[in-house]
Every structure is written in structure tokens, then in C-alpha cells.
Amino acid sequence: MNWTEIAILVLTFVVLLGIGVPVAYSIGLSSLVTILITMDPVIAFTTLAQRMATGIDSFSLLAIPFFVLAGQLMNKGGIASRLIDLARAMVGPLPGGLAFINILACMLFGAISGSSVAAASAIGGFMVPRMEKEGYDKAFGAAVNLTSASTGLVIPPSNILIVFSLASGGVSIAALFLAGYIPGLLIGLALMIVAGVVALKKGYKSNETTGVKIFFKSFFGALPSLLLLVIVIGGIIAGIFTATEASAIAVLYTLILSMVVYKEVKYKDLPRILLDTTLTTTIVLMLVATSMGMSWVLSYENIPQGVSDFLLNVSDNPVVILLIINLLLLAVGTFMDMTPAVLIFTPIFLPVVVQMGMNPIHFGIVMVMNLCIGLCTPPVGSLLFVGCSVAGLSIQKVLKPLLPLFLAMIAVLLLVTYVPALSLWLPELFGY
């Protein structure tokens, strides 16, 4: 492992980010500068371009544009309002009920759409003003909204779990989907506990009413949306179709749901939805391509083996090694988007944890949970920016109420890290 080349890679990447170069270009350019030191320019350019092209030449990655399109249709198709009605009927009358509604609705919408940003904007756009109107602190409402939206990246279907499957060399997507359920629900539960404590402390009451009739009305109103989870995840687990095929089925189902059943999406809306999907997919796949190029550079410089040797020399105690990896991933998540972080750091850390006997499925969930927390933290947390934008608040005002929710997410992360059964029980139950 050549420390000079590592220093050049890191320094170039940090400088490019610091001067405002987009993340994908920063990753690609820093990788190119690094290999230009040891390769002829023609070979360096050709090799990096080849690695970027082959990096996105994957059948599994076809699921990403389909799930993005399904999420766009859900965002416009009236699904959010129906999920909010269901959440209101389930937890609305409890003390601090509006905070619980926000959390539960974000979990449901994030799980169905697979997009945390869509959950934060769709649910937050309705719930944060409603919470403020009922006397809740607006910053607290924004903090609840943006942290609970992150659960959609752990609870399947999740694009980032598909990316981890690619980066890990083929860990089963179905197994990763199953592994995400319990950790995702635990994050939501922990956030509800914190929100409940805050509500009791500050005297936030609920004016919501519910009953059997209201519950069943809201449940059947949201049932067509909830059935998407059954169709997609059930079909994958039963072996009826692959994750990629499931993503195409999700698009067809949400198109019918949004245009025929709920009638919220019109034909005139489709060009804009398709354009937004194309832009999002382009950004994601550009990140994937350049990140795969950087992953090859890291491998070429023998960095994963060097990091593995270094960590194992620090300690041979799995508890200590996992704590160090968690701290490193939490730090990475504060300045790097999830997709490149998974593609770059999975080949570095996965060999270390596998050598310690950790199941790759378990590690995939731990990694994604770490990076989900990073989405809620400055300086580049996308959920933090979206949540603050939806609420019309500065980041500084949201940070104080965000802190206890942030600590709750870290507590669940540590629990899942050191209790493998929480993420492995369902995959093992279904034979993965």
C-alpha cells in the first residue's frame, strides 16, 4: 500500500469537494489523478473509462430507474395523504400524536417508495405545518420528519441495498431486503419513544380522534398502496421474479394506482414525472460509474488489504473493530452521499468483517444504517437540507431538537451491530 498515492487520492477528492465540484466528478477526477502517477496517460484514461462503463453494466442496476419512477408516481399519486390518514387512525390520539403520525407515515411512505427524500418532502410538506398549527415547535417537527424519513432506506424495497449487493460481489438482494425490516422498525420505534418523551415534557397534546370505523376506512383507503409491498417483496421472496423484475412490476402497479384508482396523476403529468426520473437516475448512475472506477483504483493500490491489516493490528477484538468501523462510516456519512460511500467502502471493510466471521448480510444493514444517520447530519446531509427546506428553517434551528433523535438512531445502530439476530433472523427463516 503506497501512502503517497492514498494521500494524493484523498487530498484531491477533498479539495475538489471543497471548491464545489459535484461529488461524481470529484470521485472520477481524484481517481484519474491518482492512477496518472503510475500509468501512461492513455492507459490511465482508457482503464478508468472502461471500469466506469463495466461498473454500470449490471442487470441488478436496472432496478434503480424503475424504483425511482415508481417513487415519483407515488409522490404525485395521492399515496402520501392516504398513508397519513392511516397513521392518524393508528397513533393519532396518543400524547404527541402528530409526531407519531409523522414518523409512522414517513416509515410507510419511505418503505413503499424506497426514497427517503420523497418521504421527507411528501409527508413533511403536510405534517410539519400541521404540527406547528397544533402548538408543536416547528424545529422539532422538522427534526422528526427528516430522521424518520431515513427508515425508507433500510426498510425494503431500497435502492441502496441493491447497490450494496453490487459492491459486495453478489450478496442476495432478497436476503438484504428481508434483513432490513426489523432494524428499520426499531429505528422508527426508537424515534417514537424520543418523540413521546419530548411530547410529555413539553405538554404536546393531541386533538385527533379515532375509532373502529375511522380506522377501517383509512386502512382500506391505504390498502392498495400497502399491497405494493406484499406484491414486490412477496414475489421476490417466493422466487416468482427477481428484484429487477419486481421494480418493473412496481412501476406498472403504481401507474395503475395513481392514474386509475386514485386518479391523482393525469396524462399531462407523465412527461414531467419521466423527466424527473431520468434526471435522478442519471445522477445516481453517474455516481455508481465513478465510484466503481475509484473502487478499482483502491484495489489496484492494494488499499483494502492495507486497511484490513491495519485494523486487525489495532485489535483482534471484534467488538472494538466493529466500533472503529462504525465510527469511520459515521464520519464518511457526514460528507459523502450514500451511493458512492457504499461502492467505495464496501470493498475496504467487507473483507475485514468477513475475516472476523460477520455475515455480509448483517454488515450490509449496519453499513446502510450508518450512512442513513449521515444523511441527517451536516455538512452535506441531503435529508437535513430537504427537511429544513420543507419546514422553511435554517439548519442551526433544527440541530438542537435533532440531537436526541440522532442519539436514538445511534443506539439502535449499536444494538443491531452487536446483536446479529436482529438483521439475520428473517433471512434465515426464509432460507437465505
Side-chain angles (χ1 to χ4, degrees):
M1 184 169 68
N2 191 318
W3 288 103
T4 302
E5 290 164 5
I6 294 174
I8 291 171
L9 178 68
V10 174
L11 183 62
T12 307
F13 178 68
V14 171
V15 169
L16 288 171
L17 278 182
I19 62 176
V21 177
V23 175
Y25 293 105
S26 298
I27 293 170
L29 289 171
S30 58
S31 302
L32 179 61
V33 169
T34 304
I35 59 174
L36 280 172
I37 298 171
T38 56
M39 288 185 181
D40 177 82
V42 175
I43 296 175
F45 276 97
T46 304
T47 301
L48 188 61
Q50 181 189 51
R51 295 296 169 177
M52 288 174 62
T54 56
I56 57 175
D57 184 17
S58 169
F59 180 73
S60 297
L61 285 178
L62 281 174
I64 291 179
F66 283 120
F67 276 131
V68 170
L69 178 54
Q72 291 283 352
L73 288 168
M74 292 173 198
N75 199 19
K76 311 286 186 185
I79 291 173
S81 61
R82 288 163 176 84
L83 293 176
I84 290 172
D85 289 340
L86 176 59
R88 180 184 291 124
M90 293 174 67
V91 296
L94 298 174
L98 289 181
F100 294 158
I101 293 170
N102 198 332
I103 294 169
L104 186 57
C106 277
M107 290 174 66
L108 291 170
F109 189 85
I112 292 172
S113 68
S115 172
S116 59
V117 171
S121 57
I123 304 299
F126 179 84
M127 288 303 305
V128 173
R130 175 71 183 275
M131 291 175 72
E132 183 184 20
K133 184 179 179 181
E134 294 292 333
Y136 288 71
D137 180 62
K138 192 176 184 180
F140 171 68
V144 167
N145 174 248
L146 68 94
T147 50
S148 56
S150 68
T151 58
L153 296 170
V154 183
I155 303 173
S158 168
N159 287 337
I160 199 63
L161 292 177
I162 296 171
V163 173
F164 176 82
S165 173
L166 173 70
S168 64
V171 173
S172 168
I173 295 175
L176 288 167
F177 279 4
L178 285 169
Y181 275 110
I182 294 177
L185 293 173
L186 285 175
I187 294 173
L189 179 61
L191 294 175
M192 284 187 176
I193 291 172
V194 172
V197 171
V198 172
L200 289 173
K201 183 179 178 181
K202 295 196 173 184
Y204 294 145
K205 301 187 182 298
S206 176
N207 296 320
E208 300 290 333
T209 58
T210 189
V212 175
K213 184 177 179 180
I214 295 175
F215 172 78
F216 278 106
K217 181 181 178 181
S218 60
F219 174 76
F220 285 113
L223 184 60
S225 304
L226 299 174
L227 282 176
L228 178 64
L229 287 175
V230 178
I231 294 170
V232 171
I233 305 302
I236 294 173
I237 295 170
I240 299 172
F241 37 70
T242 66
T244 303
E245 293 163 346
S247 65
I249 291 169
V251 169
L252 179 61
Y253 184 84
T254 52
L255 187 65
I256 295 171
L257 191 64
S258 301
M259 297 188 71
V260 179
V261 179
Y262 293 156
K263 298 181 181 179
E264 299 277 349
V265 173
K266 311 299 181 185
Y267 284 106
K268 65 179 181 180
D269 300 324
L270 291 179
R272 169 52 60 182
I273 290 172
L274 292 172
L275 179 60
D276 290 343
T277 299
T278 303
L279 291 173
T280 302
T281 302
T282 302
I283 294 169
V284 171
L285 292 184
M286 185 65 180
L287 284 169
V288 171
T290 54
S291 298
M292 293 300 285
M294 180 177 277
S295 294
W296 181 85
V297 172
L298 294 173
S299 178
Y300 178 77
E301 300 295 344
N302 204 28
I303 292 173
Q305 184 60 47
V307 173
S308 176
D309 293 341
F310 172 76
L311 287 174
L312 294 174
N313 285 332
V314 170
S315 175
D316 58 359
N317 187 331
V319 174
V320 175
I321 296 296
L322 287 174
L323 182 60
I324 293 172
I325 291 175
N326 273 330
L327 290 173
L328 289 172
L329 287 173
L330 284 171
V332 166
T334 62
F335 68 87
M336 186 177 287
D337 192 69
M338 290 189 78
T339 299
V342 167
L343 290 167
I344 292 168
F345 290 96
T346 297
I348 294 176
F349 292 132
L350 186 59
V352 179
V353 298
V354 168
Q355 189 171 339
M356 295 189 309
M358 188 177 189
N359 191 308
I361 298 170
H362 178 204
F363 178 69
I365 299 302
V366 170
M367 172 174 257
V368 170
M369 289 177 71
N370 270 288
L371 298 174
C372 281
I373 295 172
L375 292 178
C376 304
T377 56
V380 295
S382 57
L383 274 179
L384 180 62
F385 285 104
V386 171
C388 291
S389 175
V390 168
L393 294 171
S394 66
I395 292 175
Q396 291 79 4
K397 290 185 178 180
V398 176
L399 288 179
K400 184 177 179 181
L402 182 63
L403 185 59
L405 298 164
F406 182 78
L407 294 175
M409 295 175 75
I410 292 179
V412 175
L413 168 64
L414 292 174
L415 182 64
V416 172
T417 299
Y418 294 114
V419 185
L422 292 173
S423 53
L424 295 179
W425 179 67
L426 281 177
E428 290 173 355
L429 182 66
F430 285 91
Y432 290 98

